[in-house]
Amino acid sequence: MVKFILSTIFVMLFFIETNAQNIVKGIVIDNNTENPLVNVLIHVKNTIINKKTQLNGVFIIDKLPNGKYLLEISINGYETQVFPIQLNGKPINLGTIYLFKDITEDQDLSIITITDDELNDDASAADNISGLLQATKDVFLRSAAFEFSSSFFRIKGLDSGNGKVLINGIEMNKIYDGRAQWSNWGGLNDVLRNQEFSNGLAPSNYTFGGVLGSTNINTRASQQRPGTRISYSSSNRSYVHRLMATHSTGVLEGDWAITVSGSRRAGLEGFNEGTSYNAYSLFSSVEKKINENHSINFTSIFTPNRRGKSSPNTQEVFDLKGIAYNDYWGYLNGRKVNSRIKEVKEPILMLNHYWDLSDNSTLQTNISYQFGKIGNSRLDFNGGANPSPTYYQYLPSFQLRNEDLAGAYTSRENFQEDGQLDWNRIFDANITNANAGIENAYVLYEDRSDDKQLTVNTIFNSDITNNITLSGKLEYRRLRSNSFAEVIDLLGGKGYLDINPFADTEIQQQNDILNPNRVVGERDAFRYNYNLNSNMASAFLQAQFKYKKVDFFTAFSVSNTTHQREGLYQNGRFENNSLGKSKKLDFINFGAKAGATYKITGRHLIDANVAYVTNAPTIRNSFANSRENNFVVDDLVSEKVFSSDISYIVRSPIITSRLTGYYTNVQDATEISFYFADGIGGDNTAFVQEILSGINKQHIGLELGIEAQVTPTIKLKGAAAIGQHTYSNNPDLYLTSDVANNGGFDADFRSKDYVSNLKNYKLASGPQNAYSVGFEYRDPDYWWVGATTNFFSNIYVDVAPLNRSSNFFEDADGLPFADYDPDLARELLQQEKFDDYTVVNLIGGKSWKIGDKYISLFATVNNLLGEEYKSGGFEQGRNANFRQLRDDKALDTPVFGNKYWYGRGTTYFLNLNISF
């Protein structure tokens, strides 16, 4: 027995000693510059073992049992290499490994430009999938990004706030509304390529994530591709010209690394008329390796940008002026001037410390400070007529409603011949008033938000064993935001009276009682002025387990969020509840998720995930009307989200595919809308804030992505999204207003409580069904071409919740209208479904290597056949009851018909670049 034990111990020691000698090492460098490459992935195929090269390009893999292996060496932008190795107890030194640039990789140059072209932060219908536009090879998600995004398709019918965007482990989603402001780093494609994407509920080493997953963008200077890159782009989507240059030193002597990048994007007009574009982008990243275990990186990003907005319009307007029409601009001194400009200037500063605690454990500590402004300009006219050329009283439909045929003809002719903002009339009115000693009739002003946000976090990752990985994060975020209206231009006048002329009394007319009847000039704040303060502390812990047949994980998160408003003006309509601090809102939230992947074979997998998460209300949805008062949304609670999915994945040499079924249930959501309504509480008219709370939504559907490499040069690909996204309950609704000179509101300017019968109405989440089929041909001589045909269906208008409440059929006495017709009402409230449509897209490119230089040409043509289609829209809330809506829809052309966004016609994007 003793001999057996000794023999066993000897064999075990020999085995351990033998494995200890099984070391594989090497150094990976760029074949052209001969600089070491950092963060290159070294993967032992058919195992879970992964390593990455260090700052000097070196990698070391140990603890491998004896046997034969394939070592795969890969990094974005370079051709992947595979080395066969055989271990027999002796160390293997692969020496210097040269990686060659993949000169076909530049097809992805336009990826982030899609964000600039398609994203419109000011309209929910245009809130698309910008967070998924890079860093994934998933077949379905690439189709969603490249083919579906221009139709404002939403992954799983969810808005982008359900996906987390991080830079160097720091969350960039805005605290105000939960969405990422992609223009804060737009135009910096070259330095944003190093990304790690976690799809859906999949685990991430940086964050608990959202239902749509997470993207972490790595800007470490040492991990940027060394060399210089210069590119020029042209497009007719949003900007017309883009010039971009990037230089990265790689790791220099003294263990420094530096990357700088800059771009300029400009255009007098994109596809929509009058949509000017003017943007600069500046980036720098400096890294210093202190020693073998410590490195510090400083990143600065500044991307000031201005872009002209385009208007949603009724079908009457589109029929008269076409789908490129935009009512926000007019000629001034011979050039197009847009009254609605969005300007973003929010620099980002980041300091990151990377600490290799051991060969298997890392600790990353980050601090970020973001500050600056977001402004949205528009005209105010408390002393003049509405200047909008599409104001309902100026259109033919209004004249026809009044049976004025001559007036309708004149209105139609005038609108078709011009139909733009009349800047000259605005200036004339103000100059006339100034000469008479009267304040302005019009003023151009900007709705401003000046934010200061501090984020501090620390992220821990450890490979406890070859099978178990532990990740954790502690984070604190603080927002201090000042929101106000600021005069931009007096437009020829002498000053603007800061009152609300529609209020009942002189006191109520004052926007600030402390400064009554104040006349403001350029750069003065007016109308409203308040601070929003928010603090968020959170933690997450995650464990991943990887074995031969099954991988699984579990993750937990907990957070505390506080919001508070501080009014700086004492508003005359809310004299007792506008100045000073509101009550502090406090929310404790948590999340739990888990998932498993079962490997039927190495090429066939089943993946399943489940999560339950609670989310604090955003600041935007916490206060009924934060511009004017401290009222908090009634019975405000955290949103609850349950989500699950299951996928069948195939990864063969010929076919790659994923079929996913998903179910997501959202409960207790809150939405706030602002609009002018006729028919409140009978026959009353008011500008209202509509608070919809306790909203439940259901998202269920299938996703399919498939690619087939039918020959070495031809690839077939297809994708499909089949969803049903609906309201699943009847939420609560009430209205507030700042003007109560009629019935329908109590002393606090609040309406009675309603229930909005929204159950089974479709969510306006873009096309709920989307399909794509296409091919790609890649020639050995480095040119390639592809085409896709995309079909979209089940697109619905966003319904007006108030019209689905008792306000729709009740008269002032609370009884139904005497002439109420339930059958007609059902017809009037039928949700509009848009026509199905098909879009054809083309893509192609060519790459050359000339000496040590690489040249690439890349082009896309979207909507080749010029298909005209509605991509989104909403019911106007103006017709708030049965009588108003019945009378309007009885007209051949409704005065307050639904407003729409149309997709663009044929557009192109062209890019030429040289790198060396």
Side-chain angles (χ1 to χ4, degrees), residues 274-348:
T275 51
S276 59
Y277 199 104
N278 188 12
Y280 294 86
S281 299
L282 299 171
F283 170 94
S284 68
S285 179
V286 180
E287 183 172 359
K288 168 62 177 175
K289 181 181 179 182
I290 300 172
N291 55 40
E292 289 300 319
N293 297 321
H294 294 271
S295 182
I296 291 179
N297 193 94
F298 177 74
T299 298
S300 60
I301 300 173
F302 184 40
T303 59
N305 59 88
R306 288 170 53 89
R307 66 175 184 267
K309 299 180 186 179
S310 59
S311 59
N313 297 301
T314 62
Q315 192 60 51
E316 176 186 14
V317 171
F318 282 121
D319 289 342
L320 293 172
K321 299 291 287 187
I323 66 171
Y325 172 74
N326 176 18
D327 74 15
Y328 294 155
W329 68 271
Y331 283 105
L332 181 61
N333 298 325
R335 66 185 184 93
K336 294 180 178 179
V337 177
N338 195 321
S339 64
R340 303 241 183 153
I341 299 289
K342 178 167 187 176
E343 183 173 18
V344 180
K345 291 182 178 178
E346 293 190 306
I348 302 170

Side-chain angles (χ1 to χ4, degrees), residues 34 128 160 224 292 307 331 353 460 464 506 548 760 896:
E34 296 192 350
N128 67 4
S160 61
Q224 297 291 330
E292 289 300 319
R307 66 175 184 267
Y331 283 105
H353 174 244
F460 174 75
I464 298 176
E506 184 176 351
K548 185 175 181 180
N760 296 325
F896 298 109

Side-chain angles (χ1 to χ4, degrees), residues 350-366:
M350 291 184 178
L351 184 64
N352 312 99
H353 174 244
Y354 301 90
W355 183 7
D356 293 334
L357 299 170
S358 67
D359 289 342
N360 300 316
S361 299
T362 63
L363 185 68
Q364 178 182 339
T365 303
N366 312 295

Side-chain angles (χ1 to χ4, degrees), residues 191-212:
V191 294
L192 302 180
R193 293 177 175 275
N194 295 334
Q195 300 189 12
E196 295 185 38
F197 177 72
S198 296
N199 181 28
L201 301 176
S204 165
N205 292 333
Y206 303 94
T207 179
F208 183 83
V211 176
L212 290 181

